[in-house]
Amino acid sequence: MRNLSRLACIAFACATLAAPALAQDGTLKKIKDSGSITIGHRDASIPFSYYDDKQQPVGYAVDLCLGIVAAVKNELKMPNLKVNYQLVTSANRIPLMANGTIDLECGSTTNNLDRQKQVWFTITHFVTANRWVAKKAANIKSLADLKGKTIVSTAGTTNIKQITEINAAQNLGMNIISANGHPEAFQMVETGRAVAFVMDDILLYSLAAQSRTPGDYAISPEALSVEPYGIMLRKDDTAFKKVVDAAMVQIYKSGQINAIYDKWFLKPIPPKGLNLNVPISDQFKKVIVHPTDSGDPNDYK
């Protein structure tokens, strides 16, 4: 019994020591052995990752992932490396990364400390925030201007939870109502049923740009929270992360990021020629100068 116990301990110790080594060459070895790399993408996360009119994955995050793929090809000396695409959802993206179905997840996934327990992220590629949209005519310049007003947010989101907590903490007396979806919430502002809609700023920019009168709306300069988006990869895969991070840093330091950003946020994008007109935020400018993969929102303030 004692010998069996000793053998079990030795086996456990060997497995523990071997795990990091296996993880380090995991994705690179998988890619080399299979001759392909698989990119996880979204179907409607505009402009980060979505289908164009030919049902091809396109977007800002997809372009960045293709830059990473180029670096992987160079690292493995495999110029003909095949690129496969796999549609993912918010519900299955982490399991599909963990089980090896996808090698990179290229979408609009928030990098936070809780998710880092399951997966890793490369350098932050966008910084969003919880803000509000209101009609310019309402003259809402600050959070204090919303005191006593009716505002809306989408049910089941962290956004509505946060604004409810702020409302109570600052005794603002706002009437907070929930909507079943983002379009419904924006419509409430359009029709005057709510003065403002609180949500991730990039989604607000998209909704305003698609409205009948985009020029009538203003996104608040004041941010209620900060959320970094990152490209996801498998946890504890040090060797692969080193290649991926180096590729992202090169894109930033070389200035390529400016053209990629402008293409998706400041120019008409397929398939309908929509221009989101979202300038680079001060937070993301800092990331470009000082690249980080931090999941702590305080590092982006």
Side-chain angles (χ1 to χ4, degrees):
M1 196 69 162
R2 187 177 300 162
N3 288 338
L4 286 174
S5 219
R6 280 188 64 195
L7 287 171
C9 288
I10 291 168
F12 176 78
C14 289
T16 304
L17 290 170
L22 289 171
Q24 283 179 357
D25 69 350
T27 302
L28 289 174
K29 184 175 187 303
K30 172 181 177 290
I31 292 169
K32 189 163 189 175
D33 290 349
S34 67
S36 66
I37 184 170
T38 302
I39 292 176
H41 67 91
R42 304 298 296 273
D43 61 348
S45 187
I46 299 171
F48 297 94
S49 179
Y50 64 100
Y51 282 130
D52 64 10
D53 54 354
K54 298 176 183 176
Q55 290 296 292
Q56 295 298 311
V58 297
Y60 171 69
V62 175
D63 278 2
L64 291 174
C65 275
L66 290 176
I68 292 170
V69 169
V72 172
K73 287 180 178 180
N74 185 60
E75 175 72 18
L76 297 177
K77 296 178 174 53
M78 298 178 69
N80 298 318
L81 181 68
K82 184 182 178 183
V83 180
N84 297 322
Y85 290 95
Q86 171 67 50
L87 178 65
V88 301
T89 67
S90 57
N92 68 18
R93 58 192 168 184
I94 291 178
L96 290 179
M97 176 60 69
N99 71 16
T101 300
I102 59 174
D103 302 310
L104 294 166
E105 190 268 335
C106 309
S108 53
T109 303
T110 297
N111 172 10
N112 58 39
L113 299 176
D114 188 55
R115 281 181 176 154
Q116 286 183 8
K117 296 173 184 176
Q118 303 176 74
V119 293
W120 272 359
F121 293 85
T122 187
I123 306 301
T124 295
H125 65 260
F126 192 82
V127 183
T128 188
N130 190 12
R131 301 180 193 266
W132 66 83
V133 63
K135 287 185 176 179
K136 291 177 181 177
N139 201 32
I140 305 295
K141 302 296 184 183
S142 67
L143 185 62
D145 293 333
L146 290 172
K147 187 171 185 177
K149 303 286 198 306
T150 295
I151 69 161
V152 63
S153 191
T154 307
T157 62
T158 56
N159 308 77
I160 196 167
K161 180 176 181 289
Q162 184 182 51
I163 196 62
T164 300
E165 291 170 350
I166 290 172
N167 190 37
Q170 299 188 24
N171 194 29
L172 294 173
M174 293 184 290
N175 175 34
I176 301 172
I177 56 178
S178 64
N180 291 325
H182 304 325
E184 179 183 305
F186 188 84
Q187 188 179 53
M188 288 184 182
V189 176
E190 277 186 311
T191 57
R193 285 179 287 168
V195 170
F197 168 30
V198 177
M199 185 46 57
D200 286 355
D201 56 10
I202 184 58
L203 299 176
L204 297 179
Y205 277 112
S206 178
L207 288 163
Q210 295 176 74
S211 70
R212 290 187 292 271
T213 54
D216 288 354
Y217 301 93
I219 312 295
S220 68
E222 186 174 348
L224 304 177
S225 72
V226 177
E227 293 191 22
Y229 287 172
I231 291 167
M232 196 164 61
L233 55 149
R234 265 177 290 285
K235 191 175 185 295
D236 298 326
D237 199 336
T238 307
F240 187 55
K241 181 169 169 55
K242 183 179 178 182
V243 175
V244 173
D245 285 356
M248 288 291 287
V249 170
Q250 174 60 23
I251 289 170
Y252 288 3
K253 297 298 184 184
S254 67
Q256 293 176 62
I257 187 62
N258 297 315
I260 297 172
Y261 189 97
D262 288 356
K263 173 184 174 182
W264 294 103
F265 292 97
L266 295 172
K267 294 179 180 178
I269 59 174
K272 297 180 180 179
L274 178 68
N275 189 338
L276 297 178
N277 195 27
V278 182
I280 293 182
S281 66
D282 290 339
Q283 292 97 330
F284 187 45
K285 285 178 182 177
K286 291 177 184 176
V287 174
I288 293 172
V289 176
H290 303 289
T292 178
D293 63 356
S294 175
D296 185 347
N298 292 314
D299 291 338
Y300 298 90
K301 292 181 178 178

